[in-house]
Amino acid sequence: VETTTSLVKHLMMFSFLSAALLALMGADAHPYESRPDTVMLDNFPPMDGCRYIFLDVGSNIGIHARFLYEPDLYPKQQYSTLFFDKYFPKHNRINRRDVCVVGFEPNPKHRNRLQRLQSYYKNMGLQVYWFFAGVGNANGKKSFLRDNRDKGANSNANNNDWGFRAVVSGNEKSTTTADSNIDVEELTIIRFAEFIHDKVINRKIPEKMDDADPPPAVIAKMDIENEEYSVLSDLLSDDLNNLFCALTAISIEYHYYHPQSKKVINVPKGPAQGHFKDLVEIKRLIAQATQQPDCRTTVVQYDSEDYRLDHAEGLMKLNHTSLG
């Protein structure tokens, strides 16, 4: 039975979050629908009212947001245990309504599903928002590559475009453009470090809703197909006062690197061959940063592909949700 004090806390929190939710989500399902190729960080308010934040960087179909809010639908996934249950309030504590999600996904193929997922959670009173853009170390445009070739069970075409990525070089762009099975698109990217600086670290953090709740936390999942090197380097820059340490925890999938064999695998020709050197340097910078007494960021090299196609029960719930 909740005490009167606890109930008052909850009512005050809901009032605070409601204001933040209206500002964050806007009146419509997506404030950039009329200009889908323009992502303006200036139009996105600071994440005030979000005591806890999950940044889904490279969302694909948004399955990790579902792990956060609906873990019972996905019993075989381990991401919740490793991250959400460790740093966020327990699931079913008013359904984690003080946990906000911001995702970044440039692939136009996933936009409709992510809009429906955003509406699905918005109707539950949850703060979930997707930027339909990639991330990088600068704002602008970048060429992205979609490989439509069916090369079996692990192919990009059969796994919701899990290898959709930025083009490595101009040479790769000219080579792949000539292949009718490969699409190259110019898409928006935003500077992830700028988002952290402007929208996350200076947000107004509310009091905890329950005495047992953990401290405020920001968790990032980063799976961005080679762009992790430039984005992490930017976050770790001294010029930005090491924004990397604003993260409580981050899971990173390094590409062209196999964690078990500790070898670079499937490295394409050209500049991507330098990613092993990039990896060594990034790990050096992370180790240097996390050794500082005021940096408590937990870093986990983790590739979570559980339920990458979603599954029957999850799709059934989502398919009853319309846009709006």
Side-chain angles (χ1 to χ4, degrees), residues 311-322:
H311 68 320
E313 188 176 357
L315 289 170
M316 181 177 66
K317 290 189 72 172
L318 181 59
N319 284 340
H320 288 292
T321 302
S322 60

Side-chain angles (χ1 to χ4, degrees), residues 169-179 182 184:
S169 67
N171 181 58
E172 182 187 39
K173 181 178 179 180
S174 61
T175 303
T176 55
T177 302
D179 190 329
I182 297 177
V184 177

Side-chain angles (χ1 to χ4, degrees), residues 298-314:
T298 298
V299 183
V300 179
Q301 186 174 322
Y302 189 74
D303 178 16
S304 173
E305 304 293 352
D306 301 317
Y307 298 97
R308 61 182 176 271
L309 303 178
D310 213 328
H311 68 320
E313 188 176 357

